[in-house]
Amino acid sequence: MPHLFIYPKKGEATVFELADKQVSIGRLPDNDIVIEDPYASGHHAYIVSRESGYAIRDNLSKNGTFVNGRKISGETPLRRGDEICIGSTRIFFDKESTTSVEMTDEQLPASAVQSVIQINKILPPTDTATIKKEQSIIPELEKLKLDYRFFPVLTQVSQALILHKPIDELLEEIMDLICQTLPMDRAILMLQEGSPPDLVPKVVRIADPTLMSQKIQVSRCILDMVLAKNSSVLTIDAQVDPRFQASESIIQTNTHSAMCVPLWNNREIIGVIYADRIFHLDRFSEEDLKLLTLLSNLAAIKIENAKLIQQAIEKEKMERELALASQIQKNLLPGKNPECENYDIAGYNLTCYQVGGDYYDFIEITPDRLAILIADVSGKGVSAALLMASLRAAIHAELGPDYRLEALASRLNDFVHRSSSSSNFITFFLMDMEKKTGDIRYINAGHNPPLIIGRKGQIARLESCGFCLGMFPSVEYEPCAARLEAGQVAILYTDGITESRNKNKEEFGEDRLVRATQKFIDLPAQKMIESILAEVDRFSEGLEPDDDRTLVIIKRTAGPQ
């Protein structure tokens, strides 16, 4: 059963078990949770149970209800660790308070900083190739090896961190181990995140419950020393220095001594660990600082390894999903070439990624009519593949014996315009061919003009007759006509063919495609495709395709009997 951890501004913290379907929170005594907060309304908010979990709903309160710093307007789902603020009362859902952390710009006097030690004076050198003689080992490290405290602790922590854990669990365990090793009142682990990077508190440990309601104020001056100089910093009790008497935040926090060390992974600083003692009688020593630095280095390396493992797991998962998506997309393309008397027809698609935005299809409208189409979605990858799949579904839903070509094109255009962003569009070509006569009616919506090539070198280009699908709403298209005679070849292609480049950045181009088609015109359609693509590969000099490649060949082998 989840719990609420309630921290009023004054008084003791309490815990409330969420057993009821609805729990009321407010200032009046008839609430399930009564909070004595002048900024709370009588019946301020409700926490309700849903099938998916718990949620919070503001009850039109005067000062509002906040979840994780944001004012809610409707019912808001709650996740473990969420912070609910009602006035000055903080309520945590199913997790104890982690205490808020505040970066202060307070300037520290020089006398407050007891020790600043660069970590290369504590840690062993990372480039073992430069270690040629035993005497080259850092003297400071040799000194640390003699300290009986260090070896058992480092061995224990190293063993505890052997097994892989998710990042969140790992950070919690690291802080538990450090707090067990070095007694302290409060500690924070912060990681660099964002662009530009900034320190974000990830784990907070509070040893004394009376400190739960206090903010932890960390001086940016100390953090800057750690980050800029790649050093570990030890500060002494600020209150013994008269120059600190005017600093209200220092007096309130009553800090006795504090340490801040970098999380250094032997390449870069990925974060810091801050620890302080307030009620503890002993100040931190330089030996404590050195030990915390060594522990932080072990932790940083483990954090980095955990991130790499997590990335590898996510990459493997993504590759599996993409492989499945690739197979699904292949199943959306024709499973086999159509068999038509007096025609030899073949198609092929090659994606530059696992999924792509090229599409071709053969759809029998009637026994005497065949629709052949090719399309190219702007962009590449998953988004293009999804839009392509949507286009295919729309075409198969619309294309029937009584369809009108111009009406189909207009509806597809509006569908794509509604279904995609303004930067997405589709070049599209559809031809409706009478099998007996070879007569063609077609719509070319901004696609590369298909070519009809004869044995004697004659070439006809089926030019564009309208905008690409999805560029503008309510576009009208006018069908065009052509004819495929016996002995002629129609070649449909996407720009991944003609825009393939070699190492000199020269494009394959339409002229080379025409010459390759004429060169292999006597081959069967499937062999023609294979030979033309081989020509493209030879021209590209082994460079990987940077765009999807799709090719359709329609050969009319004979006229009507």
Side-chain angles (χ1 to χ4, degrees):
M1 193 70 66
H3 293 75
L4 296 178
F5 295 87
I6 306 163
Y7 299 92
K9 187 174 182 180
K10 295 181 180 179
E12 295 293 325
T14 58
V15 180
F16 183 89
E17 183 176 348
L18 287 172
D20 297 330
K21 292 290 184 181
Q22 178 169 292
V23 174
S24 62
I25 306 173
R27 195 161 31 85
L28 295 178
D30 60 345
N31 285 284
D32 298 302
I33 300 175
V34 179
I35 53 175
E36 297 178 1
D37 193 310
Y39 296 100
S41 298
H43 297 94
H44 194 103
Y46 294 95
I47 292 180
V48 293
S49 175
R50 302 294 185 219
E51 290 184 3
S52 57
Y54 283 87
I56 185 167
R57 183 177 70 245
D58 183 77
N59 189 35
L60 301 175
S61 62
K62 183 177 180 181
N63 295 307
T65 303
F66 295 79
V67 175
N68 297 329
R70 292 186 177 182
K71 187 175 183 179
I72 62 173
S73 56
E75 191 169 287
T76 302
L78 289 172
R79 294 179 298 178
R80 187 170 185 268
D82 280 350
E83 180 186 14
I84 304 163
C85 285
I86 295 177
S88 58
T89 301
R90 301 163 66 213
I91 303 172
F92 287 84
F93 178 70
D94 208 28
K95 189 176 182 182
E96 290 188 71
S97 167
T98 55
T99 303
S100 59
V101 178
E102 181 180 283
M103 310 297 179
T104 69
D105 294 323
E106 300 272 0
Q107 293 297 313
L108 295 177
S111 60
V113 179
Q114 179 173 324
S115 300
V116 178
I117 307 175
Q118 290 189 333
I119 61 171
N120 61 5
K121 303 295 184 184
I122 301 174
L123 303 178
T126 57
D127 186 5
T128 56
T130 62
I131 304 175
K132 297 181 179 179
K133 297 181 180 179
E134 186 178 348
Q135 57 266 30
S136 66
I137 299 176
I138 296 176
E140 189 69 24
L141 181 61
E142 288 298 305
K143 180 183 176 183
L144 293 178
K145 286 183 177 180
L146 299 176
D147 192 323
Y148 71 94
R149 295 175 57 202
F150 285 57
F151 262 143
V153 170
L154 294 176
T155 301
Q156 178 189 358
V157 172
S158 297
Q159 290 175 345
L161 297 179
I162 286 176
L163 297 178
H164 170 69
K165 294 180 178 65
I167 290 292
D168 290 344
E169 291 182 23
L170 175 64
L171 298 180
E172 296 279 353
E173 184 176 9
I174 286 170
M175 289 302 285
D176 286 341
L177 290 168
I178 288 175
C179 291
Q180 291 167 13
T181 304
L182 281 169
M184 58 189 70
D185 290 320
R186 303 182 301 187
I188 317 164
L189 187 152
M190 294 182 268
L191 293 182
Q192 296 262 41
E193 290 185 354
S195 181
D198 196 13
L199 289 170
V200 178
K202 291 295 183 180
V203 183
V204 178
R205 286 288 181 270
I206 308 292
D208 193 318
T210 61
L211 297 172
M212 281 289 187
S213 61
Q214 292 187 18
K215 288 183 179 180
I216 302 178
Q217 295 181 320
V218 183
S219 170
R220 288 195 180 274
C221 178
I222 295 178
L223 296 176
D224 290 343
M225 284 187 199
V226 172
L227 298 175
K229 298 181 179 181
N230 201 6
S231 300
S232 298
V233 177
L234 171 64
T235 63
I236 60 172
D237 188 350
Q239 295 187 73
V240 302
D241 193 309
R243 288 171 292 182
F244 269 71
Q245 299 303 316
S247 176
E248 184 180 352
S249 64
I250 295 290
I251 299 300
Q252 287 178 346
T253 56
N254 197 39
T255 302
H256 191 64
S257 63
M259 298 186 293
C260 191
V261 302
L263 283 163
W264 169 256
N265 63 9
N266 296 332
R267 293 184 296 105
E268 60 181 349
I269 297 176
I270 63 171
V272 301
I273 292 179
Y274 171 89
D276 62 25
R277 287 177 175 172
I278 297 175
F279 300 134
H280 204 283
L281 296 178
D282 295 327
R283 297 175 181 171
F284 288 123
S285 66
E286 278 198 7
E287 295 305 302
D288 294 329
L289 183 68
K290 292 170 185 176
L291 179 56
L292 182 59
T293 302
L294 287 170
L295 293 173
S296 298
N297 179 240
L298 283 175
I301 294 171
K302 185 61 182 179
I303 291 169
E304 199 69 7
N305 289 340
K307 286 182 178 179
L308 292 174
I309 292 173
Q310 190 65 34
Q311 289 170 6
I313 293 171
E314 291 173 359
K315 182 181 178 183
E316 183 181 355
K317 180 181 177 183
M318 184 178 294
E319 286 177 348
R320 288 198 305 269
E321 292 175 349
L322 284 174
L324 177 61
S326 177
Q327 186 58 52
I328 292 172
Q329 187 177 36
K330 287 177 181 176
N331 294 339
L332 297 178
L333 298 175
K336 61 180 183 178
N337 295 322
E339 296 179 2
C340 298
E341 187 178 1
N342 300 326
Y343 292 89
D344 183 10
I345 303 173
Y348 180 81
N349 167 256
L350 173 69
T351 58
C352 65
Y353 301 135
Q354 286 180 284
V355 292
D358 279 10
Y359 168 55
Y360 77 94
D361 213 341
F362 309 116
I363 304 172
E364 188 174 88
I365 303 170
T366 69
D368 296 326
R369 291 164 61 198
L370 179 67
I372 302 170
L373 56 102
I374 190 167
D376 185 0
V377 180
S378 62
K380 307 177 188 69
V382 175
S383 60
L386 290 172
L387 188 54
M388 181 276 279
S390 299
L391 174 71
R392 178 189 182 276
I395 291 170
H396 279 259
E398 294 278 353
L399 203 59
D402 300 323
Y403 89 103
R404 291 172 55 245
L405 190 54
E406 58 272 30
L408 171 65
S410 294
R411 285 197 293 271
L412 290 177
N413 173 77
D414 290 343
F415 168 78
V416 175
H417 188 267
R418 290 193 309 269
S419 305
S420 60
S421 65
S422 58
S423 60
N424 289 115
F425 56 87
I426 302 175
T427 67
F428 175 79
F429 177 87
L430 186 151
M431 58 185 280
D432 185 338
M433 185 177 70
E434 291 282 352
K435 298 178 185 178
K436 291 182 179 179
T437 63
D439 288 333
I440 296 169
R441 294 178 72 248
Y442 69 88
I443 288 286
N444 187 342
H447 195 77
N448 300 83
L451 306 169
I452 296 179
I453 301 174
R455 293 180 180 277
K456 296 182 180 180
Q458 65 272 35
I459 300 172
R461 302 171 84 251
L462 307 185
E463 298 284 0
S464 174
C465 53
F467 291 112
C468 301
L469 300 183
M471 292 187 75
F472 304 100
S474 305
V475 174
E476 295 184 358
Y477 295 88
E478 188 68 31
C480 301
R483 186 182 179 90
L484 186 65
E485 303 284 358
Q488 290 183 327
V489 173
I491 179 166
L492 286 59
Y493 62 95
T494 58
D495 57 12
I497 301 287
T498 52
E499 294 180 3
S500 295
R501 298 174 183 268
N502 59 19
K503 293 179 180 178
N504 296 323
K505 305 298 182 182
E506 184 181 6
E507 290 187 351
F508 186 73
E510 186 183 281
D511 290 342
R512 287 188 178 86
L513 178 59
V514 170
R515 291 198 295 271
T517 304
Q518 292 170 334
K519 178 180 178 181
F520 304 116
I521 199 169
D522 292 327
L523 295 176
Q526 189 63 46
K527 288 292 184 182
M528 280 188 70
I529 287 177
E530 294 170 6
S531 301
I532 291 170
L533 290 175
E535 289 280 298
V536 175
D537 285 337
R538 279 192 291 272
F539 174 81
S540 301
E541 300 172 304
L543 294 178
E544 288 292 323
D546 60 0
D547 197 359
D548 305 330
R549 295 175 180 175
T550 303
L551 200 57
V552 176
I553 298 286
I554 307 117
K555 296 185 68 176
R556 188 173 184 191
T557 55
Q561 299 295 320

